[in-house]
Amino acid sequence: MQNDTAIEVNLDKKKYGKSIGDIVKIKSDFFNHNEDMLRLSAHQADALLLQKKREKCKICEKPISGEPLYHSQRMDYYLCPVCGHLNSAYEDTEDFAERVYLSDNYENNYSEEDRMRYRQRMESIYLPKASFLIGKLEEDGLEKGEISILDDGAGSGYFVSALKHLGIKARGIEISGPQVEFANRMAGESILEQVDSGRIPQIIRETGVNTVTLIGVLEHVIDLHSLLTAIKDNTAIRYIFLSVPLFSFSCIFEASHQHCYNRHAGGTHTHLFSDSSLKYMAEGIGFEETASWKFGSDMMDLYRMISVSLDQSGNPKLREYFEGKFLPILDELQLVVDKSEFASETHLLLRRKA
Ligand SMILES: [Zn+2]
């Protein structure tokens, strides 16, 4: 295992890289279940193809026109010439959401082992993100005690748990009742509240917190502009911390490996952000970028696709050989990609302009 500091670069407001570490273990399903995941993705593409054609860009709302930049898994993708957002040809709608968001099954009884796994996931994936956010807010002049956070789309509560672990005042809202139940059981206290999606803009409009966090959320919100307008109108909110998938090398690897599961463009991701569309979005609500942390999984995706392709072509021995050569340099390769500003994911801290 590499030392984390060797694969992270800090340049004033920009940070790049993060050791992939246990992610290989976490994503092992992708290797073992390529066919199942491809079927699921095809089912989700079927649902999107039933929707109306997307007429305007998800971010700048200018008309979509001209030729698509590329197609992958039966879907055309248009790169917006105005803001640089990547839009699929079909619109994400309530009907699409009802068809694709599967409700997970959650048990009623949890063992100590479940709690341990929850804590490990929180510590390895979410605690570094929470520490980054709090560090940047402190650099911006906030005392730890005055930071208050509402996590929208809190999922299973990992990020709220990480924030509370750091002693930060934080709560989450989440649409899925079973996930809220699971999060609160794992936390041993009520950290999340179940809310219906229609209520979220109103909750954002009325919250008294100074920071709203949206971790892997904006790409799934159907009525993005209601949410953004609510943030804009509530001047108590001074910071937004968000994480979104980006138009990146992963898209190109996916388009060139049509027999491998498309984790990035497709499925529930019907559009992808770019640095310029994020900037366009922030400016539209009176915010500006104050810090970012880029670490993608482009090289992990490439590694997975080459491995799966080698297996598919009857080359399991060469796949093993490839693993031995590629995995030790994966973090370094990804750091190069992260610094190229064409990586698959970003974490961005936005501050309300004075
Ligand atoms: Zn646009």
Short mmCIF file of all heavy atoms in Angstrom, two decimals, residues 88-141:
data_model
loop_
_atom_site.label_atom_id
_atom_site.label_comp_id
_atom_site.label_asym_id
_atom_site.label_seq_id
_atom_site.Cartn_x
_atom_site.Cartn_y
_atom_site.Cartn_z
N SER A 88 -27.17 13.77 -22.34
CA SER A 88 -27.66 12.66 -23.16
C SER A 88 -28.82 13.18 -23.99
O SER A 88 -29.41 14.22 -23.69
CB SER A 88 -28.12 11.50 -22.29
OG SER A 88 -29.27 11.87 -21.56
N ALA A 89 -29.18 12.43 -25.04
CA ALA A 89 -30.21 12.90 -25.99
C ALA A 89 -31.61 12.89 -25.38
O ALA A 89 -32.51 13.53 -25.91
CB ALA A 89 -30.18 12.04 -27.24
N TYR A 90 -31.78 12.15 -24.27
CA TYR A 90 -33.12 12.04 -23.68
C TYR A 90 -33.13 12.61 -22.27
O TYR A 90 -32.12 12.57 -21.55
CB TYR A 90 -33.59 10.58 -23.68
CG TYR A 90 -33.81 10.06 -25.08
CD1 TYR A 90 -32.75 9.59 -25.84
CD2 TYR A 90 -35.09 10.08 -25.64
CE1 TYR A 90 -32.94 9.14 -27.14
CE2 TYR A 90 -35.29 9.62 -26.94
CZ TYR A 90 -34.22 9.16 -27.69
OH TYR A 90 -34.42 8.71 -28.96
N GLU A 91 -34.29 13.10 -21.89
CA GLU A 91 -34.41 13.85 -20.64
C GLU A 91 -34.69 12.94 -19.44
O GLU A 91 -35.48 11.99 -19.54
CB GLU A 91 -35.55 14.85 -20.79
CG GLU A 91 -35.46 16.01 -19.84
CD GLU A 91 -36.37 17.14 -20.29
OE1 GLU A 91 -36.24 17.58 -21.45
OE2 GLU A 91 -37.22 17.54 -19.49
N ASP A 92 -34.05 13.25 -18.31
CA ASP A 92 -34.38 12.55 -17.07
C ASP A 92 -35.66 13.17 -16.52
O ASP A 92 -35.77 14.38 -16.35
CB ASP A 92 -33.25 12.62 -16.05
CG ASP A 92 -32.64 14.00 -15.90
OD1 ASP A 92 -32.61 14.75 -16.90
OD2 ASP A 92 -32.23 14.36 -14.79
N THR A 93 -36.65 12.32 -16.28
CA THR A 93 -37.98 12.77 -15.85
C THR A 93 -38.39 11.97 -14.62
O THR A 93 -37.69 11.03 -14.23
CB THR A 93 -39.01 12.49 -16.96
OG1 THR A 93 -39.03 11.06 -17.16
CG2 THR A 93 -38.64 13.17 -18.27
N GLU A 94 -39.54 12.33 -14.04
CA GLU A 94 -40.08 11.56 -12.91
C GLU A 94 -40.31 10.11 -13.32
O GLU A 94 -40.06 9.18 -12.56
CB GLU A 94 -41.40 12.17 -12.41
CG GLU A 94 -41.26 13.55 -11.79
CD GLU A 94 -40.53 13.55 -10.45
OE1 GLU A 94 -40.34 12.46 -9.87
OE2 GLU A 94 -40.13 14.64 -10.00
N ASP A 95 -40.82 9.94 -14.55
CA ASP A 95 -41.09 8.59 -15.04
C ASP A 95 -39.79 7.77 -15.12
O ASP A 95 -39.74 6.61 -14.71
CB ASP A 95 -41.75 8.65 -16.43
CG ASP A 95 -42.02 7.26 -16.99
OD1 ASP A 95 -42.92 6.59 -16.47
OD2 ASP A 95 -41.28 6.84 -17.92
N PHE A 96 -38.73 8.41 -15.60
CA PHE A 96 -37.42 7.74 -15.67
C PHE A 96 -36.96 7.35 -14.26
O PHE A 96 -36.53 6.20 -14.03
CB PHE A 96 -36.40 8.67 -16.33
CG PHE A 96 -34.98 8.16 -16.30
CD1 PHE A 96 -34.60 7.08 -17.08
CD2 PHE A 96 -34.03 8.75 -15.47
CE1 PHE A 96 -33.29 6.60 -17.04
CE2 PHE A 96 -32.72 8.29 -15.43
CZ PHE A 96 -32.36 7.21 -16.22
N ALA A 97 -37.08 8.28 -13.33
CA ALA A 97 -36.63 8.02 -11.95
C ALA A 97 -37.39 6.83 -11.35
O ALA A 97 -36.80 5.96 -10.71
CB ALA A 97 -36.83 9.26 -11.09
N GLU A 98 -38.71 6.80 -11.59
CA GLU A 98 -39.51 5.70 -11.05
C GLU A 98 -39.08 4.35 -11.62
O GLU A 98 -39.14 3.33 -10.96
CB GLU A 98 -41.00 5.91 -11.37
CG GLU A 98 -41.69 6.79 -10.34
CD GLU A 98 -43.10 7.16 -10.78
OE1 GLU A 98 -43.73 6.35 -11.50
OE2 GLU A 98 -43.54 8.26 -10.40
N ARG A 99 -38.61 4.38 -12.87
CA ARG A 99 -38.21 3.12 -13.51
C ARG A 99 -36.82 2.65 -13.09
O ARG A 99 -36.55 1.46 -13.13
CB ARG A 99 -38.23 3.28 -15.04
CG ARG A 99 -39.62 3.38 -15.62
CD ARG A 99 -39.55 3.79 -17.10
NE ARG A 99 -40.87 4.12 -17.62
CZ ARG A 99 -41.66 3.25 -18.22
NH1 ARG A 99 -41.30 2.00 -18.38
NH2 ARG A 99 -42.85 3.64 -18.66
N VAL A 100 -35.92 3.59 -12.79
CA VAL A 100 -34.52 3.18 -12.59
C VAL A 100 -34.03 3.13 -11.16
O VAL A 100 -33.07 2.41 -10.86
CB VAL A 100 -33.52 4.04 -13.40
CG1 VAL A 100 -33.79 3.92 -14.88
CG2 VAL A 100 -33.53 5.49 -12.94
N TYR A 101 -34.63 3.92 -10.26
CA TYR A 101 -34.11 3.89 -8.89
C TYR A 101 -34.73 2.72 -8.14
O TYR A 101 -35.91 2.72 -7.83
CB TYR A 101 -34.33 5.22 -8.17
CG TYR A 101 -33.50 6.31 -8.78
CD1 TYR A 101 -34.08 7.37 -9.47
CD2 TYR A 101 -32.11 6.26 -8.70
CE1 TYR A 101 -33.30 8.36 -10.06
CE2 TYR A 101 -31.33 7.25 -9.29
CZ TYR A 101 -31.93 8.29 -9.96
OH TYR A 101 -31.15 9.25 -10.55
N LEU A 102 -33.92 1.70 -7.95
CA LEU A 102 -34.39 0.49 -7.29
C LEU A 102 -34.36 0.73 -5.79
O LEU A 102 -33.42 1.32 -5.27
CB LEU A 102 -33.48 -0.68 -7.64
CG LEU A 102 -33.15 -0.85 -9.12
CD1 LEU A 102 -32.01 -1.83 -9.30
CD2 LEU A 102 -34.39 -1.31 -9.88
N SER A 103 -35.39 0.26 -5.11
CA SER A 103 -35.35 0.40 -3.65
C SER A 103 -34.59 -0.79 -3.08
O SER A 103 -34.93 -1.94 -3.31
CB SER A 103 -36.76 0.48 -3.07
OG SER A 103 -37.51 -0.60 -3.55
N ASP A 104 -33.52 -0.47 -2.38
CA ASP A 104 -32.70 -1.52 -1.77
C ASP A 104 -33.45 -2.17 -0.62
O ASP A 104 -34.29 -1.56 0.01
CB ASP A 104 -31.40 -0.92 -1.23
CG ASP A 104 -30.48 -0.50 -2.37
OD1 ASP A 104 -30.52 -1.15 -3.42
OD2 ASP A 104 -29.74 0.48 -2.19
N ASN A 105 -33.10 -3.40 -0.38
CA ASN A 105 -33.66 -4.07 0.78
C ASN A 105 -32.75 -3.88 1.98
O ASN A 105 -31.56 -4.13 1.90
CB ASN A 105 -33.83 -5.56 0.52
CG ASN A 105 -34.96 -5.81 -0.45
OD1 ASN A 105 -36.01 -5.17 -0.37
ND2 ASN A 105 -34.75 -6.72 -1.39
N TYR A 106 -33.31 -3.43 3.05
CA TYR A 106 -32.53 -3.28 4.28
C TYR A 106 -33.11 -4.18 5.35
O TYR A 106 -34.32 -4.29 5.50
CB TYR A 106 -32.55 -1.82 4.76
CG TYR A 106 -31.72 -0.92 3.89
CD1 TYR A 106 -32.26 -0.36 2.73
CD2 TYR A 106 -30.40 -0.65 4.20
CE1 TYR A 106 -31.50 0.45 1.92
CE2 TYR A 106 -29.62 0.16 3.39
CZ TYR A 106 -30.19 0.72 2.25
OH TYR A 106 -29.43 1.52 1.44
N GLU A 107 -32.21 -4.85 6.05
CA GLU A 107 -32.65 -5.77 7.11
C GLU A 107 -33.16 -4.95 8.30
O GLU A 107 -32.89 -3.77 8.43
CB GLU A 107 -31.45 -6.60 7.58
CG GLU A 107 -30.68 -7.31 6.50
CD GLU A 107 -31.38 -8.56 6.02
OE1 GLU A 107 -32.17 -9.11 6.80
OE2 GLU A 107 -31.17 -8.97 4.87
N ASN A 108 -33.88 -5.62 9.15
CA ASN A 108 -34.32 -4.96 10.38
C ASN A 108 -33.34 -5.18 11.52
O ASN A 108 -33.30 -4.43 12.47
CB ASN A 108 -35.71 -5.42 10.79
CG ASN A 108 -36.77 -4.72 9.97
OD1 ASN A 108 -36.65 -3.53 9.71
ND2 ASN A 108 -37.78 -5.46 9.54
N ASN A 109 -32.58 -6.28 11.41
CA ASN A 109 -31.63 -6.58 12.48
C ASN A 109 -30.21 -6.34 11.98
O ASN A 109 -29.85 -6.81 10.91
CB ASN A 109 -31.76 -8.04 12.92
CG ASN A 109 -33.12 -8.31 13.48
OD1 ASN A 109 -33.61 -7.53 14.30
ND2 ASN A 109 -33.75 -9.38 13.04
N TYR A 110 -29.44 -5.63 12.77
CA TYR A 110 -28.06 -5.36 12.38
C TYR A 110 -27.11 -5.92 13.43
O TYR A 110 -27.34 -5.79 14.62
CB TYR A 110 -27.82 -3.86 12.20
CG TYR A 110 -28.67 -3.29 11.12
CD1 TYR A 110 -29.78 -2.51 11.42
CD2 TYR A 110 -28.40 -3.56 9.79
CE1 TYR A 110 -30.59 -1.99 10.42
CE2 TYR A 110 -29.19 -3.04 8.78
CZ TYR A 110 -30.29 -2.26 9.10
OH TYR A 110 -31.09 -1.77 8.11
N SER A 111 -26.04 -6.53 12.94
CA SER A 111 -25.07 -7.12 13.85
C SER A 111 -23.96 -6.09 14.14
O SER A 111 -23.87 -5.06 13.50
CB SER A 111 -24.45 -8.36 13.20
OG SER A 111 -23.81 -7.99 12.01
N GLU A 112 -23.12 -6.45 15.07
CA GLU A 112 -21.95 -5.61 15.37
C GLU A 112 -21.06 -5.52 14.14
O GLU A 112 -20.43 -4.50 13.89
CB GLU A 112 -21.15 -6.19 16.55
CG GLU A 112 -21.44 -5.54 17.89
CD GLU A 112 -21.61 -4.00 17.81
OE1 GLU A 112 -20.63 -3.32 17.48
OE2 GLU A 112 -22.72 -3.51 18.06
N GLU A 113 -21.02 -6.63 13.37
CA GLU A 113 -20.20 -6.65 12.16
C GLU A 113 -20.68 -5.62 11.14
O GLU A 113 -19.89 -4.95 10.49
CB GLU A 113 -20.22 -8.06 11.56
CG GLU A 113 -19.00 -8.38 10.73
CD GLU A 113 -19.15 -9.70 10.00
OE1 GLU A 113 -19.73 -10.63 10.57
OE2 GLU A 113 -18.69 -9.76 8.85
N ASP A 114 -22.02 -5.49 11.01
CA ASP A 114 -22.58 -4.46 10.12
C ASP A 114 -22.12 -3.08 10.55
O ASP A 114 -21.76 -2.26 9.71
CB ASP A 114 -24.12 -4.50 10.15
CG ASP A 114 -24.67 -5.76 9.54
OD1 ASP A 114 -24.04 -6.26 8.59
OD2 ASP A 114 -25.72 -6.24 10.00
N ARG A 115 -22.15 -2.86 11.87
CA ARG A 115 -21.75 -1.53 12.38
C ARG A 115 -20.27 -1.28 12.12
O ARG A 115 -19.86 -0.17 11.82
CB ARG A 115 -22.05 -1.42 13.88
CG ARG A 115 -23.52 -1.29 14.16
CD ARG A 115 -23.85 -0.70 15.52
NE ARG A 115 -25.27 -0.36 15.58
CZ ARG A 115 -26.24 -1.25 15.75
NH1 ARG A 115 -25.93 -2.52 15.93
NH2 ARG A 115 -27.50 -0.89 15.76
N MET A 116 -19.48 -2.35 12.22
CA MET A 116 -18.04 -2.22 11.98
C MET A 116 -17.78 -1.87 10.50
O MET A 116 -16.97 -1.01 10.20
CB MET A 116 -17.34 -3.52 12.36
CG MET A 116 -15.91 -3.37 12.80
SD MET A 116 -15.26 -4.97 13.32
CE MET A 116 -15.17 -5.84 11.76
N ARG A 117 -18.49 -2.58 9.61
CA ARG A 117 -18.32 -2.32 8.17
C ARG A 117 -18.75 -0.90 7.82
O ARG A 117 -18.13 -0.22 7.01
CB ARG A 117 -19.16 -3.32 7.35
CG ARG A 117 -18.40 -4.57 6.96
CD ARG A 117 -19.05 -5.22 5.75
NE ARG A 117 -20.43 -5.63 6.05
CZ ARG A 117 -20.76 -6.82 6.53
NH1 ARG A 117 -19.83 -7.73 6.75
NH2 ARG A 117 -22.02 -7.13 6.79
N TYR A 118 -19.85 -0.45 8.47
CA TYR A 118 -20.35 0.91 8.24
C TYR A 118 -19.28 1.92 8.64
O TYR A 118 -18.98 2.87 7.92
CB TYR A 118 -21.62 1.13 9.06
CG TYR A 118 -22.31 2.46 8.82
CD1 TYR A 118 -23.29 2.60 7.84
CD2 TYR A 118 -21.98 3.58 9.59
CE1 TYR A 118 -23.92 3.81 7.62
CE2 TYR A 118 -22.61 4.81 9.37
CZ TYR A 118 -23.58 4.91 8.39
OH TYR A 118 -24.20 6.12 8.17
N ARG A 119 -18.69 1.67 9.82
CA ARG A 119 -17.68 2.58 10.33
C ARG A 119 -16.43 2.60 9.44
O ARG A 119 -15.88 3.66 9.15
CB ARG A 119 -17.31 2.18 11.77
CG ARG A 119 -16.56 3.27 12.49
CD ARG A 119 -16.14 2.86 13.90
NE ARG A 119 -15.15 3.80 14.40
CZ ARG A 119 -15.44 4.93 15.03
NH1 ARG A 119 -16.71 5.24 15.25
NH2 ARG A 119 -14.50 5.73 15.45
N GLN A 120 -16.06 1.41 8.94
CA GLN A 120 -14.88 1.33 8.06
C GLN A 120 -15.11 2.11 6.77
O GLN A 120 -14.23 2.83 6.30
CB GLN A 120 -14.56 -0.12 7.73
CG GLN A 120 -13.77 -0.82 8.82
CD GLN A 120 -13.65 -2.32 8.58
OE1 GLN A 120 -14.27 -2.87 7.66
NE2 GLN A 120 -12.87 -2.99 9.43
N ARG A 121 -16.30 1.97 6.20
CA ARG A 121 -16.63 2.67 4.95
C ARG A 121 -16.67 4.17 5.19
O ARG A 121 -16.16 4.97 4.38
CB ARG A 121 -17.98 2.16 4.43
CG ARG A 121 -18.33 2.69 3.06
CD ARG A 121 -19.61 2.04 2.54
NE ARG A 121 -20.15 2.79 1.41
CZ ARG A 121 -19.74 2.65 0.16
NH1 ARG A 121 -18.83 1.77 -0.13
NH2 ARG A 121 -20.27 3.39 -0.81
N MET A 122 -17.26 4.55 6.32
CA MET A 122 -17.31 5.98 6.68
C MET A 122 -15.90 6.54 6.80
O MET A 122 -15.58 7.60 6.24
CB MET A 122 -18.09 6.14 7.99
CG MET A 122 -18.27 7.56 8.47
SD MET A 122 -16.87 8.20 9.42
CE MET A 122 -17.19 7.46 11.02
N GLU A 123 -15.04 5.79 7.49
CA GLU A 123 -13.68 6.30 7.75
C GLU A 123 -12.82 6.31 6.48
O GLU A 123 -12.05 7.24 6.27
CB GLU A 123 -13.00 5.47 8.85
CG GLU A 123 -13.56 5.79 10.23
CD GLU A 123 -12.91 4.99 11.35
OE1 GLU A 123 -12.08 4.11 11.06
OE2 GLU A 123 -13.26 5.26 12.51
N SER A 124 -12.95 5.28 5.62
CA SER A 124 -12.05 5.22 4.47
C SER A 124 -12.50 6.11 3.33
O SER A 124 -11.67 6.70 2.63
CB SER A 124 -11.89 3.77 3.98
OG SER A 124 -13.12 3.30 3.48
N ILE A 125 -13.80 6.27 3.13
CA ILE A 125 -14.28 7.03 1.97
C ILE A 125 -14.75 8.44 2.34
O ILE A 125 -14.44 9.41 1.65
CB ILE A 125 -15.41 6.27 1.23
CG1 ILE A 125 -14.86 4.93 0.71
CG2 ILE A 125 -15.98 7.10 0.08
CD1 ILE A 125 -15.87 4.08 0.00
N TYR A 126 -15.50 8.56 3.43
CA TYR A 126 -16.17 9.84 3.71
C TYR A 126 -15.41 10.76 4.66
O TYR A 126 -15.53 11.98 4.56
CB TYR A 126 -17.60 9.57 4.23
CG TYR A 126 -18.44 8.98 3.14
CD1 TYR A 126 -18.50 7.59 2.95
CD2 TYR A 126 -19.13 9.79 2.24
CE1 TYR A 126 -19.23 7.04 1.90
CE2 TYR A 126 -19.87 9.24 1.21
CZ TYR A 126 -19.92 7.86 1.04
OH TYR A 126 -20.63 7.34 0.01
N LEU A 127 -14.64 10.18 5.57
CA LEU A 127 -13.90 11.03 6.52
C LEU A 127 -12.88 11.93 5.81
O LEU A 127 -12.79 13.12 6.15
CB LEU A 127 -13.24 10.15 7.60
CG LEU A 127 -12.87 10.85 8.90
CD1 LEU A 127 -14.05 11.61 9.50
CD2 LEU A 127 -12.34 9.83 9.92
N PRO A 128 -12.13 11.43 4.80
CA PRO A 128 -11.21 12.34 4.10
C PRO A 128 -11.93 13.51 3.43
O PRO A 128 -11.43 14.63 3.43
CB PRO A 128 -10.57 11.42 3.04
CG PRO A 128 -10.71 10.04 3.58
CD PRO A 128 -12.01 10.03 4.34
N LYS A 129 -13.14 13.26 2.88
CA LYS A 129 -13.89 14.33 2.23
C LYS A 129 -14.37 15.35 3.27
O LYS A 129 -14.32 16.56 3.04
CB LYS A 129 -15.11 13.75 1.50
CG LYS A 129 -14.76 12.74 0.43
CD LYS A 129 -15.99 12.17 -0.26
CE LYS A 129 -15.59 11.04 -1.20
NZ LYS A 129 -16.57 10.74 -2.21
N ALA A 130 -14.85 14.84 4.41
CA ALA A 130 -15.33 15.72 5.47
C ALA A 130 -14.17 16.56 6.02
O ALA A 130 -14.32 17.77 6.23
CB ALA A 130 -15.99 14.90 6.58
N SER A 131 -13.01 15.93 6.21
CA SER A 131 -11.84 16.65 6.73
C SER A 131 -11.40 17.73 5.75
O SER A 131 -11.03 18.84 6.15
CB SER A 131 -10.66 15.69 6.96
OG SER A 131 -11.02 14.70 7.87
N PHE A 132 -11.45 17.40 4.45
CA PHE A 132 -11.09 18.39 3.42
C PHE A 132 -12.01 19.60 3.52
O PHE A 132 -11.56 20.75 3.56
CB PHE A 132 -11.18 17.75 2.03
CG PHE A 132 -10.98 18.72 0.90
CD1 PHE A 132 -9.70 19.12 0.53
CD2 PHE A 132 -12.06 19.23 0.20
CE1 PHE A 132 -9.50 20.03 -0.51
CE2 PHE A 132 -11.88 20.14 -0.84
CZ PHE A 132 -10.60 20.53 -1.20
N LEU A 133 -13.32 19.33 3.58
CA LEU A 133 -14.31 20.42 3.65
C LEU A 133 -14.07 21.30 4.88
O LEU A 133 -13.99 22.53 4.77
CB LEU A 133 -15.73 19.84 3.68
CG LEU A 133 -16.85 20.81 4.06
CD1 LEU A 133 -16.96 21.96 3.05
CD2 LEU A 133 -18.19 20.09 4.19
N ILE A 134 -13.96 20.68 6.04
CA ILE A 134 -13.82 21.45 7.28
C ILE A 134 -12.51 22.25 7.27
O ILE A 134 -12.49 23.42 7.65
CB ILE A 134 -13.89 20.52 8.52
CG1 ILE A 134 -15.24 19.75 8.53
CG2 ILE A 134 -13.74 21.31 9.81
CD1 ILE A 134 -16.48 20.60 8.34
N GLY A 135 -11.44 21.63 6.77
CA GLY A 135 -10.16 22.34 6.67
C GLY A 135 -10.27 23.58 5.80
O GLY A 135 -9.75 24.65 6.15
N LYS A 136 -10.99 23.46 4.68
CA LYS A 136 -11.12 24.60 3.76
C LYS A 136 -12.00 25.69 4.36
O LYS A 136 -11.75 26.88 4.16
CB LYS A 136 -11.67 24.14 2.41
CG LYS A 136 -10.71 23.28 1.61
CD LYS A 136 -9.44 24.05 1.26
CE LYS A 136 -8.38 23.15 0.67
NZ LYS A 136 -7.07 23.82 0.52
N LEU A 137 -13.06 25.28 5.09
CA LEU A 137 -13.92 26.29 5.72
C LEU A 137 -13.14 27.05 6.80
O LEU A 137 -13.29 28.26 6.95
CB LEU A 137 -15.17 25.62 6.33
CG LEU A 137 -16.20 25.08 5.32
CD1 LEU A 137 -17.33 24.34 6.03
CD2 LEU A 137 -16.77 26.22 4.47
N GLU A 138 -12.30 26.30 7.53
CA GLU A 138 -11.48 26.96 8.56
C GLU A 138 -10.48 27.93 7.91
O GLU A 138 -10.28 29.04 8.40
CB GLU A 138 -10.75 25.90 9.40
CG GLU A 138 -11.70 25.20 10.38
CD GLU A 138 -11.02 24.11 11.20
OE1 GLU A 138 -10.11 23.43 10.68
OE2 GLU A 138 -11.41 23.94 12.37
N GLU A 139 -9.87 27.49 6.79
CA GLU A 139 -8.96 28.38 6.07
C GLU A 139 -9.67 29.65 5.61
O GLU A 139 -9.06 30.71 5.48
CB GLU A 139 -8.38 27.68 4.83
CG GLU A 139 -7.20 26.77 5.11
CD GLU A 139 -6.78 25.99 3.86
OE1 GLU A 139 -6.91 26.52 2.73
OE2 GLU A 139 -6.33 24.83 4.02
N ASP A 140 -10.98 29.51 5.37
CA ASP A 140 -11.75 30.65 4.89
C ASP A 140 -12.23 31.54 6.05
O ASP A 140 -12.99 32.47 5.83
CB ASP A 140 -12.95 30.16 4.07
CG ASP A 140 -13.24 31.06 2.88
OD1 ASP A 140 -12.28 31.46 2.18
OD2 ASP A 140 -14.42 31.40 2.66
N GLY A 141 -11.82 31.16 7.27
CA GLY A 141 -12.10 32.05 8.42
C GLY A 141 -13.19 31.60 9.36
O GLY A 141 -13.50 32.29 10.33
#
